[in-house]
């Protein structure tokens, strides 16, 4: 069988959900996460509703200013017993959602560990340390080690640009820079090439060098990277240890910072 | 970049109207002409289609059959499915490499040739198979290897190689309604056009052709027949075709598309290849009928790159059908019934069989599965409502249009109407295509195919299920074992661990890399299987396999990632001793070869004393 | 029930590390007095015992970069009931592992043969007394089984203290916010 059964039932579920949403009797827009009632606006995803209500949801590829992406899978929850990507799932009345459970967090830990072994993450020498979401989620979920065998991939740094640096060793392929550059900056500086484990970030230049693109430090794409890839030169370690974003409070106590902004840009075809 | 190359690119771009959604075809044709896709070529193409250069490079970099580095004038790819392995492909490949002074995966120093493996090319009933410059060659032998190496060294163009090498057999062993079909081109379509809707369906006919009276009742009448037939998709998911078509028909929008999924990438599956060889008209007719039912004006057949050799033949069939007014405008004199079909060639990516990835690929992008909902029936190709159906589904739909839903529903079992094509390969006397009414048991198929001493059958490919000999009484049907068609047979001489390991490699190679669990997890599984296979496994690795598998099943984005653990979990359940007998140690084993990790330093220092070595255990 | 009276026997060592984790350990300051009531040290830079005897707990600083590291690590694994990866380098190779993207040949040649200021005719040493380098620096969990990980560069003294006291008290060690960090 090429597609898992779950794909079939997902189609069925989606139809069921639409049918339900249309019925006025169930128009009160509330669902539950771990037993807590979460109100939502029609059109919101489960994740957006959760964050709006102050419930933290682990995430890496989600960003309040962008359309959901659904690739990191950190936000996976169980909805009516079925594992689902919460950042892309439209909220529906009456859903019973599990988020902060041992079972789900165990999987999330393994996902973090997969990302840690896939790249080269040496936090002590990383300018993003303390402000890095991958790291912060590792702390919040209690990830003590990479667990798996490290891949130690060889990924050369691009230091060609006078003001900016790309350290691909830490790229988690969340595509936020790609989306920011395409949708906000309208420059398309970044894209992906390769497939599977060989998937990697590329820049929009025949030379393959950032300096030969029209990238600017003022671009939106320069500020969205959740980890330490897109960095300003000569600006590292500006904030002292103890004062950095996730030194102050663990990420799971900062749900407010990730509240969605509306309206989001529309999908383009 | 030479002027002539630029001109070639310009001509190809012109032929495709500088249309970026045609990027896959542009890249393929350019590569066929220039050998590879150089950075300058990519820049030129990007300029031509008006896309960011990086996006074009991203597409080129996604597909196995596109090369952004020179790959040799002769590119030999050995199909590496487990069935090719069982027929000795690795030895043959090694011989070939020796003869050509090559390492697998490397281009020869003179840039003449490269030899490598590729995922199953769909010739499992006539392997070992290779692709040479993306042309299929079957039944490789030592003799053919020797001769091929010679031809390459003498630089004889592939077009001048022995024609019998390129012979692809249909090997039809059992035919039923589909493979025995003798309806003439147009017959099913005429029957469809002649169908009158009943009261109910006429009332239901609120779609694109409202107002075109003659055509309004017809489409919904056809839809009624498809629904009545209980036809379910043959591509794997088994979704009810009538419901899919109806959803698309009713989806808001003024343009709709029909897509035939001929990606057939699942290792061990080759029935769509035979359908497209023997019953291409029926398949195209099915697409045309779907178009009629949903109101589409354009259709695509997405043909896997491995079946490149079928492209010209299929285009001929399409041309003939246009001549017969079975395609084009006002089809068969029905005013307003306009529809045409184009064959779109893939370029080596199993994931593009997933319908939303397929659509991305059709749009010229990387073949990455979309977020769903919305499903393609509402938001598909170019954002328009799109029906994606398997080759076999569409062929069956044509027959239903011709003969009626009731006729069809009476074939097969209560919940699985019709027939199913099985691609039988592996340890059987008569590999090939077997068409059965649903409900046939595994034992019956094995007997018909002349299988003896059967240990296991992998049904529906790596993503399907592995069935052991105590289950051969089970049947092929949606209510028991559903299948997309693969039926790989393993006798008792086979090592089921190696079967699973081969599949683990397949998934790691084919993961699109979009989501974390599959991108990293499939490689972790592959590495764990290799560690066990190489004799360094312990129970630790087995429990790791379970742990990683559960992450994939819980969190992967699409069917590829969800099903990638199946072969491992199935064999661990049913053939656990095949794993256990490889476990030489009870406890932890290092993650890597410690002594091997000192080899470099030994070489540099010229040392070989006792202290210059490490045993692999304490 | 009462807690065990026997002191825990603890061994520590530094493989491819910088002794920073050991320094941090000593940073537990006056608490070390409390600690020595609870534990006694076997092989460790602070005792001068050269061969590790049977221990309850082994703390390993640093990753594995050469054959000698492997031997020491194996000795610790054999002798210690509980083995702990202490600090970033033990956990993921750390700074030394940043050489992993280079070919060992290039590294050795650069260091011993081609670098400025080397004596004429310098060669890569082949003294059997010198431990051979592994082609890559590895975290210790890839060489032996590890029971606990205590990341940080170095882990703060408070984290080490919390970890040890948890362990001694028979609790699964949990580092809260501020104590668990990778840098
Ligand atoms: C990884 C993956 C590969 C697939 N490959 C194919 C394929 O090669 N051919 C196919 O028809 N369906 C394939 N499918 C299933 C399609 O997504 C889709 O369900 C099917 O084309 C629908 O057609 P049907 O309803 O006629 O079965 C694949 C699914 C997945 C997840
Ligand atoms: S990107 Fe984050 S996790 Fe990676 S090295 Fe930097 S701080 Fe550590
Ligand atoms: S560079 Fe940063 S933002 Fe861009 S894909 Fe990588 S991790 Fe995401
Ligand atoms: S499961 Fe695999 S193939 Fe599917 S989207 Fe994720 S990475 Fe791609
Ligand atoms: S946040 Fe949902 S998949 Fe990344």
């Amino acid at each position: 069988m090429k597609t898992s059964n779950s794909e079939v039932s997902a189609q069925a579920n989606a139809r069921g959900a639409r049918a339900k949403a249309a019925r006025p009797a169930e128009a009160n827009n509330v669902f539950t996460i771990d037993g807590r009632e979460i109100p939502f606006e029609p059109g919101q995803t489960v994740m957006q509703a959760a964050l709006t209500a102050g419930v933290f949801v682990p995430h890496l590829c989600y960003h309040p200013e962008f359309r959901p992406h659904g690739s990191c899978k950190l936000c996976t929850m169980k909805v009516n017993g079925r594992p689902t990507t919460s950042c892309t799932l439209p909220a529906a009345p009456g859903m019973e959602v599990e988020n902060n459970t041992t079972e789900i967090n165990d999987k999330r830990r393994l996902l973090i560990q997969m990302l840690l072994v896939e790249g080269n993450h040496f936090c002590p020498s990383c300018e993003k340390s303390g402000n890095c979401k991958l790291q912060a989620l590792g702390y919040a979920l209690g990830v003590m080690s990479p667990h798996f065998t490290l891949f130690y991939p060889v990924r050369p740094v691009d230091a060609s640009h006078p003001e900016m640096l790309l350290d691909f060793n830490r790229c988690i392929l969340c595509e936020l820079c790609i989306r920011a550059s395409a949708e906000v900056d309208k420059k398309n500086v970044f894209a992906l090439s390769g497939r599977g484990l060989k998937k990697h970030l590329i820049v929009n230049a025949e030379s393959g060098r950032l300096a030969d693109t029209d990238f600017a430090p003022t671009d939106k794409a320069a500020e969205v990277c959740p980890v330490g890839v897109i960095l300003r030169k000569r600006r590292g370690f500006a904030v002292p240890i103890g004062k950095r974003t996730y030194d102050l409070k663990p990420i799971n106590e900062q749900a407010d910072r990730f509240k969605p902004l509306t309206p989001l840009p529309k999908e383009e075809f | 970049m030479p002027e002539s190359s630029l001109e070639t690119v310009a001509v190809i771009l012109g032929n495709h109207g500088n249309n970026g959604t045609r990027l896959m075809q542009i890249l393929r044709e350019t590569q066929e002409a220039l050998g590879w896709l150089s950075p300058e070529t990519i820049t030129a193409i990007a300029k031509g289609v008006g896309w960011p250069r990086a996006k074009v490079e991203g597409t080129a970099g996604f597909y196995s059959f596109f090369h952004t580095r020179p790959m040799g004038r002769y590119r030999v790819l050995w199909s590496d499915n487990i069935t090719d392995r069982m027929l000795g492909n690795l030895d043959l490949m090694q011989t070939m490499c020796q003869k050509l002074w090559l390492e697998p995966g490397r281009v020869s120093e003179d840039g003449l040739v490269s030899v490598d493996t590729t995922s199953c090319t769909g010739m499992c009933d006539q392997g070992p198979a290779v692709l040479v410059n993306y042309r299929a060659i079957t039944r490789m032998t030592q003799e053919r290897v020797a001769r091929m190496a010679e031809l390459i060294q003498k630089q004889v163009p592939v077009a001048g190689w022995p024609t019998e090498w390129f012979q692809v057999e249909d090997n039809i062993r059992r035919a039923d309604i589909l493979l025995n079909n003798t309806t003439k081109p147009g017959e099913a379509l005429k029957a469809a056009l002649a169908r009158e809707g009943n009261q109910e369906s006429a009332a239901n006919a609120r779609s694109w052709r409202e107002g075109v009276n003659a055509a309004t009742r017809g489409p919904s009448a056809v839809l009624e027949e498809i629904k009545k037939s209980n036809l379910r998709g043959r591509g794997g998911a088994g979704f009810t075709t009538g419901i899919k078509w109806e959803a698309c028909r009713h989806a808001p929008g003024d343009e709709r598309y029909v897509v035939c999924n001929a990606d057939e990438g699942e290792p061990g599956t080759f029935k769509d290849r035979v359908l497209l060889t023997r019953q291409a008209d029926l398949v195209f007719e099915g697409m045309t009928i779907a178009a009629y039912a949903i109101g589409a004006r354009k259709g695509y057949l997405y043909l896997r790159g491995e079946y490149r050799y079928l492209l010209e033949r299929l285009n001929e069939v399409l041309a003939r059908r246009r001549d017969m007014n079975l395609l084009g405008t006002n089809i068969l004199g029905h005013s307003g019934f306009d529809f045409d079909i184009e064959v779109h060639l893939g370029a080596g990516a199993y994931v593009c069989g997933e319908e939303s990835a397929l659509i991305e690929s059709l749009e010229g992008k990387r073949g990455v599965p979309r977020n769903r909902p919305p499903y393609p029936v509402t938001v598909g190709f170019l954002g328009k409502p799109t029906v994606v159906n398997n080759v076999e589904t569409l062929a069956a739909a044509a027959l239903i249009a011709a003969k009626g839903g009731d006729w069809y529903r009476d074939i097969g079992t209560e919940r699985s109407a019709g027939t199913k094509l099985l691609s039988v390969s592996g340890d059987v006397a008569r590999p090939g295509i077997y068409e059965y009414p649903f409900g046939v048991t595994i034992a019956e198929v094995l007997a018909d195919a002349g299988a003896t001493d059967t240990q296991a059958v992998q049904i529906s490919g790596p993503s399907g299920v592995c069935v052991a000999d105590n289950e051969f009484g089970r049947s092929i049907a949606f209510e028991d074992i559903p299948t997309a068609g693969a039926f790989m047979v393993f006798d008792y001489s086979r090592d089921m661990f190696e079967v699973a390991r081969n599949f683990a490699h397949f998934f790691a190679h084919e993961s699109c890399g979009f989501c974390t669990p599959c991108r990293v997890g499939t490689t972790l599984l592959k590495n764990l299987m290799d560690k066990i296979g190489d004799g360094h496994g312990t129970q630790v690795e087995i429990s790791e396999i379970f742990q990683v598998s559960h992450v994939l099943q819980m969190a992967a984005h699409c069917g590829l990632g969800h099903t990638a653990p199946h072969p491992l979990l199935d064999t661990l359940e049913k053939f656990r001793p095949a794993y256990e007998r490889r476990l030489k140690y009870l406890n932890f084993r290092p993650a890597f070869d410690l002594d091997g990790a000192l080899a470099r330093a030994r070489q540099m220092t010229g040392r070989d004393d006792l202290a210059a070595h490490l045993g692999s255990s304490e | 029930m009462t807690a065990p009276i026997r002191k825990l026997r603890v061994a520590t060592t530094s493989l491819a590390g910088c002794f920073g984790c050991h320094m941090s350990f000593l940073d537990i300051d006056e608490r070390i007095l409390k600690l020595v009531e609870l534990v006694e040290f076997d092989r460790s830079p602070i005792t001068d015992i050269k061969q590790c005897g049977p221990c309850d707990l082994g703390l390993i600083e640093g990753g594995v970069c050469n054959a000698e590291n492997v031997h020491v690590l194996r000795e610790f694994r054999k002798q210690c009931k509980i083995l702990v990866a202490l600090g970033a380098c033990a956990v993921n190779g750390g700074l030394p592992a940043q050489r992993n993207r280079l070919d060992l040949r290039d590294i050795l040649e650069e260091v011993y043969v081609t670098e400025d200021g080397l004596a004429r005719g310098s060669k890569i040493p082949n003294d059997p007394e010198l431990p051979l380098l592994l082609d890559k620096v590895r975290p210790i969990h890839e060489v032996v089984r590890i029971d606990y990980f205590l990341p940080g560069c170095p882990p703060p003294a408070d984290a080490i203290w919390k970890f040890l006291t948890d362990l001694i008290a028979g609790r699964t060690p949990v580092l809260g916010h501020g104590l668990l960090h990778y840098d």
Side-chain angles (χ1 to χ4, degrees), chain A residues 170-178 201 224-227 229-230:
Chain A
R170 303 154 185 160
C171 181
I172 55 167
L173 304 162
C174 70
E175 299 185 39
L176 270 168
C177 57
I178 301 177
L201 197 65
V224 290
C225 183
V227 292
V229 181
I230 306 178

Side-chain angles (χ1 to χ4, degrees), chain A residues 6-254:
Chain A
S6 53
E7 198 182 336
V8 186
S9 40
Q11 298 197 358
N13 274 352
R15 279 198 313 279
R18 266 198 298 278
K20 259 190 209 161
R23 247 179 287 150
E26 293 187 53
N28 72 328
N29 290 327
V30 178
F31 64 95
T32 62
I33 293 185
D34 299 332
R36 179 175 155 190
E37 293 208 335
I38 309 287
F40 69 93
E41 307 271 321
Q44 266 187 328
T45 61
V46 168
M47 161 110 123
Q48 288 168 336
L51 291 170
T52 307
V55 173
F56 178 73
V57 181
H59 64 267
L60 286 168
C61 68
Y62 161 87
H63 186 288
E65 295 167 52
F66 293 91
R67 270 183 284 115
H69 193 244
S71 63
C72 74
K73 301 301 176 193
L74 258 302
C75 68
T76 301
M77 301 193 192
K78 273 190 159 182
V79 177
N80 300 332
R82 273 176 39 88
T84 319
T85 311
S86 70
C87 68
T88 54
L89 181 75
M95 281 176 163
E96 284 174 31
V97 182
E98 293 164 58
N99 172 33
N100 198 6
T101 68
T102 312
E103 185 200 4
I104 295 171
N105 287 336
D106 279 349
K107 302 289 183 293
R108 289 173 175 159
R109 257 188 292 281
L110 288 163
L111 287 172
I112 297 270
Q113 287 165 327
M114 287 181 181
L115 289 169
L116 289 175
V117 301
E118 183 192 19
N120 294 309
H121 294 274
F122 301 110
C123 300
S125 52
C126 176
E127 296 88 323
K128 193 77 174 187
S129 197
N131 303 310
C132 164
K133 267 196 187 160
L134 176 63
Q135 189 189 59
L137 285 176
Y139 299 166
L141 290 162
V143 174
M144 306 302 284
S145 79
H147 180 80
F148 301 111
T149 303
L150 280 90
F151 294 180
Y152 292 126
V154 176
R155 299 184 185 168
V157 170
D158 182 346
S160 63
H161 195 280
E163 290 163 273
M164 302 295 292
L165 178 81
L166 298 180
D167 189 339
F168 298 110
N169 287 294
R170 303 154 185 160
C171 181
I172 55 167
L173 304 162
C174 70
E175 299 185 39
L176 270 168
C177 57
I178 301 177
R179 291 180 272 159
S181 187
E183 292 168 23
V184 181
D185 308 328
K186 311 280 182 213
K187 287 186 181 178
N188 295 295
V189 169
F190 298 101
L192 291 173
S193 189
R195 181 175 84 204
L197 202 66
K198 295 195 185 127
K199 188 173 89 161
H200 59 277
L201 197 65
I202 55 170
V203 299
N204 195 27
E206 192 174 293
S207 65
R209 290 162 16 115
L210 188 66
D212 298 327
T213 69
D214 51 356
F215 188 59
T218 48
D219 284 358
K220 184 75 181 169
E223 59 176 68
V224 290
C225 183
V227 292
V229 181
I230 306 178
L231 300 164
R232 269 155 236 271
K233 286 185 172 172
R234 302 170 290 275
R235 278 275 285 293
F237 310 105
V239 182
I241 295 185
K243 295 267 159 60
R244 302 167 306 183
T245 314
Y246 303 112
D247 290 337
L248 304 169
K249 250 203 252 172
I251 191 168
N252 51 322
E253 290 173 20
Q254 305 194 33

Side-chain angles (χ1 to χ4, degrees), chain B residues 28 32 131 133-136 303-313 345:
Chain B
R28 177 179 53 80
E32 281 178 5
L131 296 173
N133 295 352
Y134 306 106
R135 299 299 159 135
L303 183 68
R304 70 186 306 217
E306 288 81 350
Y307 296 166
R308 166 73 184 81
Y309 74 99
L310 286 175
L311 180 63
E312 285 80 13
R313 294 184 216 177
L345 210 67

